[in-house]
Amino acid sequence: MSYNTKYILSYCNRLGKSLRVEIQLWDYVGETFILVNQTDYLQDQEGAYVTSNIDGEYDPERDKNLIEGGSNPFTLNYQNDTSEKGGAIRATFADMEFFEDMLFNIDDLATSDETEIRAVFNYDNQLEWIGFVTPDFFNVEITENPLIRLTASDRVGVLKDVDYPILSEMTDKVRILDIITNILKETGLELNINIVCGLYSDQFEQYSGDSEFEAWETNNPFYDTWVNEYRLATDLETLETMNCYEVLQRIMNQFNCLITQYKGEWWIVNKFDLDNGKGVRFIYTFDGLFQS
């Protein structure tokens, strides 16, 4: 099972750059409206159109539906956790608006699942952002040609309501990177993790390869630093823990870093490296597997 695109809007900005918004549904496959005759569609007792599954398979050429955007089809927003420069956590969310029609309407979008509908934005044919449509943050105008307004987010904010899940034994130690991957999984987004943090400690294992890089350029402090997860507990008897947002925020502050989503991936960047505009990037999968 996977997310498949049901609705798609392709357009250009004033510079002629190709932009594309895709609204994806979990495990979506094509549907067809049932015709009563050549002009009327079958409706149920509540007036909703009755559809049927075609063949159980997703065909992108057949099952994508074109939609029409409003004057601001997609607006990406950034929100720092504090008013300080950079902050530690920069959440992202998007405002979208599209015209309603028979195929794209408020009834079809109704769901209580916070990760069922996913929004994907591409800039110049490159992935720019991914987020989940918030179920209780969309509305439709009551007009002749109504606009549906949607809000999607990276769900970083929900981490405030999620207690950190301790997964190790009392005597074990885990990498800081493991803690971060455990937290980011709670958003529901399975994105690569990029780390740029030029900190170095003599206690880090030295890079043994044949390279011209300095030691700080060949070691990743988030991978080389170990900690006992039970330090995150606020009560060792009940094993109550800090919430995931607070843990993530404290880690970012400890390493003088900022975390945000960029180009459809998580980025953790040291603020000193960010100001200098350079650093060594380590890339991991969403579950912490080293890539490059």
Side-chain angles (χ1 to χ4, degrees):
M1 296 188 293
S2 62
Y3 285 96
N4 295 322
T5 301
K6 184 171 184 178
Y7 304 109
I8 184 169
L9 169 67
S10 297
Y11 60 110
C12 293
N13 64 10
R14 61 184 179 85
L15 301 176
K17 296 291 185 181
S18 172
L19 308 177
R20 187 171 72 252
V21 182
E22 298 185 29
I23 304 298
Q24 302 177 337
L25 274 65
W26 176 250
D27 203 26
Y28 163 71
V29 294
E31 294 178 333
T32 182
F33 289 92
I34 300 176
L35 278 171
V36 177
N37 51 50
Q38 292 183 349
T39 58
D40 295 327
Y41 292 97
L42 181 64
Q43 295 176 279
D44 60 21
Q45 292 181 346
E46 297 179 354
Y49 289 102
V50 178
T51 61
S52 67
N53 185 276
I54 296 175
D55 53 17
E57 299 293 333
Y58 177 73
D59 182 346
E61 298 301 321
R62 180 196 64 195
D63 298 336
K64 290 181 182 179
N65 301 286
L66 299 179
I67 53 177
E68 183 179 353
S71 57
N72 293 295
F74 185 91
T75 303
L76 184 58
N77 307 281
Y78 298 87
Q79 186 174 32
N80 288 343
D81 57 335
T82 68
S83 59
E84 299 174 4
K85 179 183 177 182
I89 299 176
R90 182 172 295 168
T92 59
F93 65 96
D95 295 315
M96 299 170 286
E97 59 180 30
F98 312 99
F99 284 103
E100 184 180 44
D101 57 27
M102 188 183 74
L103 288 174
F104 183 77
N105 54 72
I106 203 76
D107 294 328
D108 193 48
L109 295 170
T111 178
S112 59
D113 190 335
E114 294 187 354
T115 59
E116 182 179 352
I117 305 176
R118 192 170 74 171
V120 178
F121 180 64
N122 288 270
Y123 178 88
D124 200 16
N125 294 316
Q126 299 292 323
L127 178 61
E128 185 73 16
W129 186 83
I130 300 178
F132 292 108
V133 175
T134 310
D136 53 350
F137 270 84
F138 56 81
N139 58 75
V140 60
E141 296 176 328
I142 304 177
T143 62
E144 184 176 346
N145 194 19
L147 274 172
I148 295 179
R149 294 186 172 89
L150 310 175
T151 296
S153 79
D154 56 17
R155 299 189 78 241
V156 166
V158 306
L159 298 177
K160 297 178 181 179
D161 301 319
V162 180
D163 292 336
Y164 178 81
I166 294 179
L167 303 176
S168 62
E169 299 295 330
M170 180 73 77
T171 57
D172 292 342
K173 290 185 178 181
V174 300
R175 302 180 192 274
I176 292 290
L177 178 62
D178 296 329
I179 294 176
I180 292 174
T181 58
N182 290 341
I183 291 174
L184 294 180
K185 286 177 184 177
E186 297 291 341
T187 66
L189 291 172
E190 297 182 352
L191 309 179
N192 279 352
I193 301 171
N194 299 264
I195 298 177
V196 181
C197 185
L199 297 178
Y200 172 70
S201 169
D202 291 336
Q203 295 180 354
F204 292 164
E205 181 180 352
Q206 295 297 303
Y207 178 73
S208 57
D210 183 13
S211 172
E212 297 178 356
F213 290 140
E214 297 292 337
W216 69 269
E217 293 179 311
T218 56
N219 293 275
N220 176 8
F222 288 88
Y223 181 84
D224 294 319
T225 304
W226 297 73
V227 66
N228 188 303
E229 281 187 301
Y230 288 82
R231 292 182 60 185
L232 306 177
T234 56
D235 189 323
L236 286 176
E237 291 186 2
T238 62
L239 288 185
E240 293 182 16
T241 62
M242 293 183 282
N243 66 61
C244 286
Y245 190 94
E246 184 180 5
V247 174
L248 186 62
Q249 189 178 50
R250 291 191 179 195
I251 291 175
M252 293 302 110
N253 284 328
Q254 183 179 10
F255 289 91
N256 192 34
C257 285
L258 166 71
I259 183 170
T260 192
Q261 186 191 151
Y262 176 69
K263 300 295 183 183
E265 297 184 344
W266 297 117
W267 282 76
I268 298 171
V269 184
N270 178 268
K271 296 176 186 177
F272 180 82
D273 293 333
L274 184 61
D275 288 340
N276 282 280
K278 63 180 181 179
V280 176
R281 176 170 59 147
F282 293 83
I283 307 174
Y284 300 88
T285 64
F286 75 95
D287 55 359
L289 179 64
F290 176 75
Q291 296 292 288
S292 64

